[in-house]
């Protein structure tokens, strides 16, 4: 029997409901596509994936899959089926700020501008903005997101339609004596985020984390306390590091527009004038703590930083945000050097206060323009396999494999060019998407038999 995408939508809950959805009418669903891009070995022509409840349970050539599985067939037609995309760094709080802040002369001016915009927003505006962001991310085939929010108290009002790692963004620059209190209330809010579906006991770890905003906005005590909680609760940490030239100037030279701005709001300058941001970060935490950190940006690195990274025994994960980097005009991201040092590198969109959309396809294309020698396959890994690893879910997300979560997206394809090139070039809403076994997006008429 053949089922259209539209009828597939009607058989499953469209909402991501924490794994407590009503039983599916279908025990097994066989999803056939022109090509299945597993990100684990060669793509499979005329392939199929079998989904049972929230898991992938089998995959292979359609003819073989049909012979060994009973279940409803759903034919995506001339489409490529790939793992759902993972956005490793995003702030959905600011979805409503798209096109509101033109590029500024200095990073400090941009901080002033976003602070001005934020002062106009009510909690209701933020909730609407976050919801709008989720809807957009989903449209572009993102099925997992690492989302930083400065308002963790709003989390209980939001039902994410996709897998979400909530990171509470923490800033204590105006009240360093309140670091513990700020963290405590964030952790309490994160605890109210509601149950998340467990993919496997072995995966472990909560799907929330803490995000001291940056070295220049979060105190040493705040970083230290977050690290302590992360060890205790087995959670991840993320921060912005070495993003702008002005951040480098703050810490290495004790000068520049950002330094002046920070001074004007009373930030102590006792850690300024000696070290690069990276040296301060690595020096303060030590090797032991590094693997818990997902570090966003790292655009501004000195030669001494590369030496430091070379001799660092353990590695953190890195998120590069290509379009946000372009918007700000930061230094070029040292992709090849960081990759050769063995770092796991992912892509992220950052927020719409410095980007135009939440499309990871657009992010891949921008990266490809910057690094034309990197294969499209490797670029796709930066929004699938690599971020799954950064989120400690490399055995559950980011690939199409038996036992992995049923997070899948489909994009139209042809036989004319390399499939990975076609995926990176894809520039539209995805035609079909599934998260945790639920079809969450389907363009009527895009899939047929
Ligand atoms: Zn960011």
């Amino acid at each position: 029997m053949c089922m259209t995408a539209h009828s597939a939508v009607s058989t499953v809950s469209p909402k991501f409901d924490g794994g407590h959805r009503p039983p599916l009418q279908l025990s097994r669903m066989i999803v056939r596509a022109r090509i299945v891009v597993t990100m684990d070995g060669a793509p499979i022509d005329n392939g199929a994936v079998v989904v049972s409840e929230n898991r992938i349970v089998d995959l292979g050539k359609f003819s073989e899959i049909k012979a060994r599985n009973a279940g409803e067939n759903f034919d995506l037609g001339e489409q490529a089926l790939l793992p759902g995309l993972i956005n490793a760094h995003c702030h959905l709080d600011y979805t409503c700020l798209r096109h509101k802040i033109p590029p500024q002369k200095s990073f400090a001016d941009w901080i002033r501008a976003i602070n001005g915009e934020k002062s106009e927003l009510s909690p209701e505006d933020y909730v609407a903005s976050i919801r709008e962001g989720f809807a957009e991310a989903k449209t572009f085939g993102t099925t997992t997101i690492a989302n930083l929010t400065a308002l963790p108290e709003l989390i209980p009002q939001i039902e994410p339609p996709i897998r979400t790692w909530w990171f509470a963004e923490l800033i204590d620059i105006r009240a360093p004596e309140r670091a513990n209190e700020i963290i405590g209330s964030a952790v309490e809010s994160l605890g109210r985020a509601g149950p998340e579906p467990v993919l496997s006991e072995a995966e472990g770890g909560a799907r929330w984390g803490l995000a001291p905003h940056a070295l220049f906005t979060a105190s040493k005590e705040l970083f230290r306390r977050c690290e302590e909680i992360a060890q205790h609760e087995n959670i991840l940490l993320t921060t912005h590091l070495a993003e702008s030239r002005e951040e480098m100037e703050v810490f290495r030279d004790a000068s520049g527009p950002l330094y002046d701005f920070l001074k004007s709001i009373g930030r102590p300058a006792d850690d300024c004038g000696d070290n690069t941001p990276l040296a301060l970060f690595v020096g303060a935490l030590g090797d032991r703590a590094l693997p818990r950190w997902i570090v966003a940006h790292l655009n501004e690195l000195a030669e001494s930083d590369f030496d430091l990274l070379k001799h660092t025994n353990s590695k953190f994960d890195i998120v590069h945000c290509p379009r946000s980097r372009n918007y700000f005009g930061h230094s070029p991201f040292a992709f090849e050097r960081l990759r050769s040092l063995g770092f796991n590198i992912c892509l992220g969109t950052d927020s719409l206060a410095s980007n135009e959309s939440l499309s990871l396809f657009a992010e891949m294309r921008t990266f490809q323009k910057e690094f034309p020698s990197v294969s499209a396959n490797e670029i796709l890994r930066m929004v699938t396999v690599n971020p799954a690893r950064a989120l400690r879910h490399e055995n559950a997300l980011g690939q199409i494999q038996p036992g992995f979560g049923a997070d899948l997206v489909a994009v139209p394809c042809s036989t004319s060019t390399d499939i990975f090139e076609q995926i990176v070039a894809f520039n539209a809403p995805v035609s079909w998407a599934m998260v945790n076994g639920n079809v969450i997006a389907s363009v009527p008429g895009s899939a047929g038999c």
Side-chain angles (χ1 to χ4, degrees):
M1 182 186 157
C2 179
M3 186 170 65
T4 65
H6 193 69
S7 69
V9 173
S10 67
T11 61
V12 292
S13 163
K15 184 166 73 75
F16 191 54
D17 57 8
H20 301 292
R21 63 204 163 97
L24 289 168
Q25 290 176 19
L26 309 175
S27 59
R28 281 193 169 208
M29 184 177 182
I30 301 172
V31 186
R32 185 247 158 221
R34 159 80 187 73
I35 188 162
V36 176
V37 178
T38 65
M39 300 312 288
D40 172 42
I44 304 167
D45 279 318
N46 194 18
V49 176
V50 184
V51 174
S52 176
E53 293 292 318
N54 64 345
R55 305 241 172 203
I56 294 163
V57 293
D58 199 3
L59 75 151
K61 288 268 182 203
F62 179 54
S63 54
E64 294 162 11
I65 288 294
K66 226 168 67 172
R68 63 178 183 245
N69 288 280
E72 195 97 22
N73 287 345
F74 177 48
D75 191 347
L76 285 163
E78 290 300 297
Q79 305 216 42
L81 187 62
L82 49 139
L85 308 186
I86 303 174
N87 189 342
H89 183 81
C90 188
H91 309 250
L92 297 182
D93 291 359
Y94 309 128
T95 306
C96 61
L97 298 186
R98 181 180 354 229
H99 299 143
K100 287 271 168 70
I101 308 175
Q104 304 286 308
K105 272 202 220 91
S106 78
F107 194 61
D109 284 345
W110 184 85
I111 292 174
R112 284 191 190 94
I114 193 171
N115 283 346
E117 294 289 343
K118 280 157 67 174
S119 68
E120 305 285 311
L121 299 175
S122 67
E124 292 73 30
D125 293 332
Y126 277 112
V127 169
S129 188
I130 295 167
R131 286 183 181 148
E132 193 192 321
F134 273 123
E136 179 167 328
K138 184 180 88 166
T139 301
F140 288 119
T142 299
T143 57
T144 294
I145 197 162
N147 184 50
L148 284 70
T149 179
L151 298 107
E153 65 275 16
L154 301 180
I155 293 173
Q157 295 181 46
I158 294 156
E159 291 178 357
I162 58 179
R163 289 186 204 278
T164 304
W165 264 261
W166 289 104
F167 288 89
E169 186 172 75
L170 305 168
I171 291 178
D172 66 345
I173 188 169
R174 290 172 199 267
E177 71 287 353
R178 288 185 51 231
N180 271 341
E181 193 189 321
I182 291 168
I183 299 169
S185 76
V187 169
E188 206 185 305
S189 297
L190 289 160
R192 289 201 299 268
E196 293 282 4
V198 174
L199 280 166
S200 116
E201 292 304 325
E203 291 306 317
R207 287 242 295 278
W208 59 274
L210 297 171
H213 170 259
L215 288 178
F216 56 88
T217 50
S219 66
K220 277 192 208 88
E221 172 58 16
L222 192 144
F223 269 86
R224 191 198 61 76
R225 181 75 184 121
C226 286
E227 172 70 21
E228 204 172 82
I229 293 171
Q231 296 284 350
H232 190 255
E233 302 286 330
N234 192 23
I235 56 162
L236 293 172
L237 297 163
T238 189
T239 192
H240 302 87
L241 186 69
E243 178 176 3
S244 65
R245 289 183 191 89
E246 286 166 62
E247 181 182 344
M248 178 65 92
E249 284 176 332
V250 166
F251 293 108
R252 192 186 54 194
D253 313 325
S255 67
L258 183 58
Y259 179 81
D260 294 341
F261 170 70
L262 296 170
K263 234 177 140 189
S264 76
I265 59 171
R267 185 194 185 277
D270 53 332
D271 53 355
C272 302
D274 288 323
N275 280 306
T276 65
L278 182 88
L280 272 176
F281 177 75
V282 172
L285 295 168
D287 274 6
R288 179 186 58 85
L290 290 178
R292 285 194 185 277
W293 286 93
I294 300 172
V295 171
H297 304 310
L298 283 192
N299 299 307
E300 310 294 335
L301 295 173
E303 272 312 306
S304 59
D305 288 332
F306 286 103
D307 286 341
L308 183 62
L309 292 175
K310 200 152 83 186
H311 297 111
T312 302
N313 292 324
S314 57
K315 302 263 187 287
F316 46 78
D317 300 277
I318 298 172
V319 188
H320 173 43
C321 301
R323 287 186 298 166
S324 180
R325 189 208 72 81
N326 285 356
Y327 165 94
F328 285 112
H330 299 317
S331 295
F333 180 66
F335 175 72
E336 281 98 349
R337 293 186 76 178
L338 291 167
R339 179 180 56 179
S340 72
L341 289 170
F343 283 90
N344 179 43
I345 301 170
C346 316
L347 297 183
T349 58
D350 219 343
S351 85
L352 295 195
S354 59
N355 201 349
E356 292 196 329
S357 78
L358 297 169
S359 167
L360 286 168
F361 291 98
E363 228 55 69
M364 288 193 280
R365 275 192 297 284
T366 302
F367 180 88
Q368 191 177 42
K369 271 195 202 118
E370 210 179 333
F371 301 99
S373 63
V374 179
S375 73
N377 183 340
E378 184 173 359
I379 297 172
L380 186 59
R381 291 180 75 82
M382 294 166 77
V383 295
T384 53
V385 177
N386 298 4
R389 188 173 145 202
L391 294 168
R392 310 294 177 264
H393 273 58
E394 64 270 34
N395 296 318
L397 298 173
Q399 294 174 53
I400 300 180
Q401 277 208 58
F404 276 49
D407 293 6
L408 304 163
V409 299
V411 301
C413 67
S414 70
T415 51
S416 57
T417 50
D418 174 71
I419 188 61
F420 293 102
E421 292 290 347
Q422 288 185 53
I423 292 167
V424 171
F426 179 69
N427 188 15
V430 297
S431 48
W432 185 87
M434 172 180 271
V435 176
N436 204 41
N438 293 329
V439 177
I440 60 157
S442 178
V443 177
S446 63
C449 307

